[in-house]
């Protein structure tokens, strides 16, 4: 019987176990998006994960959706990430960079003068966003032109190349949770009638083309994609997501990606069908009824419902999570007040079992 603690080969990359550190925004980079020494320590502490997926990392300036998030579009950012990857690899870990564009989730105060958030259509998210000046209402984004859509696709590919230069083992494209790629997938945020919207296949095209561009740049075996069909987070609405996500998965399945990473938003039947159409390694970020996913979810690997399991809040609070899961606990409780920004308290000071 396969367990979550067994090693696994993912597109030629040998992982020590099937436990993945899920991407989690922590807002500890510099104002210029450069990783800090605290980030080096944070990721290195968690190197016993089979795979670390970093926090969301923007591929260009306008993609920044929150303060103090890292980027992969300047030489300084690449060098900063190199200190992270070198340290994680020295500790025996494997690490992918998550590439993310906030799209309409953002605010002008987060961007250089004159820039406003962009999106597939000029439709604002009905919510507020965290900024260095406090919570602010999301603004109406500027609709991307066709040329700008293509330039954004190219920016993702360049950022992927930068990630490999920075020493990452691969990248994960963030197509979930209400950010730009997800905004293109949803009929509520994508009102276009050109080749980037108007039908299920057209709404999926941006995600498909980003994935193809990144895979062409660094190799499909170093490329993963994260999705969350039907997820209402960040003001999203996808009442009937199956046709769009089927079109997406059928288009990327022939590429031979490293994995498909799905967030469980309470439609396991849809995820099972998408997994079958994908045909490759399937990473599941399981739902857990309001609590952090924990030992109870390990059976999902044993039962064959996922190849790897991604843990978020429990990895945040337990740097040695694989050992704790194997032992059945105990588990540190995450300190919610330190999730986003702040000093090292609640970031790199969670104790390991061995002290």
């Amino acid at each position: 019987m396969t367990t979550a603690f067994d090693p696994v080969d993912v597109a030629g990359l040998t992982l020590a176990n099937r436990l993945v550190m899920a991407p989690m925004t922590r807002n500890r980079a510099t104002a210029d998006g450069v990783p800090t020494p605290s980030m080096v320590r944070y990721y290195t502490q968690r190197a016993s994960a089979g795979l670390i997926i970093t926090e969301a990392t923007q591929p260009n300036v306008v993609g920044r959706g929150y303060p103090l998030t890292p980027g992969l579009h300047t030489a300084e950012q690449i060098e900063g990430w190199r200190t992270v990857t070198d340290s994680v690899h020295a500790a025996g870990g494997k690490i992918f960079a998550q590439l993310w564009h906030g799209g309409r989730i953002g605010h002008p105060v987060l961007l250089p003068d004159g820039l406003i958030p962009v999106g597939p259509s000029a439709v604002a998210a009905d919510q507020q966003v965290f900024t260095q000046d406090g919570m602010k209402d999301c603004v109406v984004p500027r609709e991307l032109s066709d040329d700008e859509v293509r330039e954004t696709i190219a920016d993702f590919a360049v950022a992927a190349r930068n990630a490999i230069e920075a020493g990452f083992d691969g990248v994960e494209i963030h197509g979930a949770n209400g950010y730009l790629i997800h905004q293109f997938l949803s009929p509520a945020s994508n009102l276009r009638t050109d080749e980037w919207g108007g039908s299920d296949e057209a709404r999926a095209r941006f995600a498909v083309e980003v994935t193809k561009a990144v895979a062409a740049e660094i190799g499909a075996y170093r490329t993963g994609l994260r999705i969350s069909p039907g997820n209402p987070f960040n003001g999203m609405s996808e009442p009937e997501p199956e046709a769009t996500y089927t079109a997406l998965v059928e288009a990327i399945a022939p590429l031979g990606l490293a994995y498909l990473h799905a967030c469980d938003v309470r439609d396991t039947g849809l995820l099972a069908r998408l997994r079958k159409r994908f045909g490759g390694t399937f990473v599941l970020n399981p739902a857990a009824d309001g609590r952090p996913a924990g030992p109870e979810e390990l059976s999902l690997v044993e039962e064959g419902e996922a190849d790897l399991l991604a843990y978020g809040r429990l990895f945040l609070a337990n740097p040695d999570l694989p050992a704790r899961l194997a032992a059945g606990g105990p588990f540190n409780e995450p300190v919610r007040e330190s999730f986003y920004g702040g000093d090292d308290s609640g970031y790199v000071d969670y104790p390991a079992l061995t002290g």
Side-chain angles (χ1 to χ4, degrees), residues 22-354:
M24 292 175 282
T25 292
R26 302 302 308 276
N27 308 93
R28 258 75 171 197
T30 71
D32 295 324
V34 177
T36 60
S38 291
M39 291 171 63
V40 176
R41 185 178 175 191
Y42 169 72
Y43 285 113
T44 305
Q45 286 175 337
R46 290 153 179 81
S48 63
L51 177 66
I52 293 171
I53 305 172
T54 73
E55 61 208 277
T57 303
Q58 54 258 14
N60 57 25
V61 173
V62 76
R64 185 185 186 198
Y66 304 111
L68 304 179
T69 53
L72 264 169
H73 54 89
T74 72
E76 294 76 16
Q77 292 165 357
I78 295 169
E79 184 57 33
W81 275 120
R82 167 66 74 172
T83 63
V84 174
T85 62
D86 282 350
S87 185
V88 168
H89 288 147
K94 302 291 193 298
I95 184 167
F96 272 36
Q98 188 189 65
L99 299 182
W100 155 83
H101 191 302
R104 69 178 186 171
I105 301 302
H107 196 276
V109 300
L110 296 165
L111 304 175
D113 289 345
L115 289 182
I116 64 171
V118 297
S121 300
V123 179
D126 185 18
Q127 66 168 60
Q128 292 191 316
V129 66
F130 171 64
T131 79
Q132 65 269 29
D133 299 329
M135 300 300 293
K136 292 184 175 291
D137 291 339
C138 286
V139 301
V140 175
R142 184 176 59 78
E143 180 177 309
L144 290 163
S145 69
D146 179 77
D147 285 344
E148 289 171 330
V149 172
R150 298 178 192 279
E151 289 167 5
T152 303
I153 293 168
D155 287 343
F156 270 95
V158 171
R161 184 175 68 238
N162 291 343
I164 300 305
E165 181 181 343
F168 284 101
D169 297 296
V171 305
E172 176 179 281
I173 300 162
H174 195 353
N177 297 355
Y179 301 111
L180 183 64
I181 292 175
H182 196 183
Q183 292 159 27
F184 269 90
L185 290 164
S186 167
S189 50
N190 182 354
L191 308 183
R192 303 174 77 107
T193 56
D194 59 3
E195 64 180 301
W196 306 105
S199 70
D200 294 307
E201 291 77 12
R203 285 194 301 274
R205 181 166 287 117
F206 182 67
V208 171
E209 293 304 318
V210 169
T211 305
K212 286 181 175 178
V214 169
E217 190 69 37
I218 65 171
Y221 69 100
R222 294 195 288 202
T223 303
L225 173 66
R226 193 184 204 206
I227 59 173
S228 60
N231 187 357
F233 187 67
N234 274 326
M236 296 300 289
S237 176
E238 290 180 295
E240 298 179 355
E242 183 149 3
T244 302
Y245 285 87
T246 297
L248 166 59
V249 171
E250 287 183 342
I252 65 170
L255 299 177
L257 300 181
Y259 61 78
L260 179 67
H261 180 182
C263 301
D264 180 4
V265 287
R266 296 304 183 192
D267 191 343
T268 55
L270 172 57
L271 294 186
R273 292 189 292 275
L274 293 175
R275 179 190 183 188
K276 184 176 181 179
R277 290 179 184 276
F278 179 66
T281 298
F282 181 68
V283 182
L284 180 63
N285 196 165
D289 296 320
R291 60 171 172 79
E296 298 88 343
E297 281 64 50
L298 294 173
S299 62
L300 293 169
V301 172
E302 298 167 6
E303 295 165 1
E305 295 188 36
D307 298 304
L308 296 93
L309 291 176
Y311 285 85
R313 281 178 287 169
L314 215 58
F315 242 127
L316 180 154
N318 296 273
D320 54 347
L321 183 59
R324 289 179 183 268
L325 287 170
F331 300 101
N332 300 320
E333 288 293 323
V335 179
R336 182 172 294 276
E337 292 75 18
S338 65
F339 279 5
Y340 305 112
D343 56 21
D344 284 350
S345 177
Y347 187 53
V348 296
D349 60 349
Y350 288 105
L353 281 173
T354 57

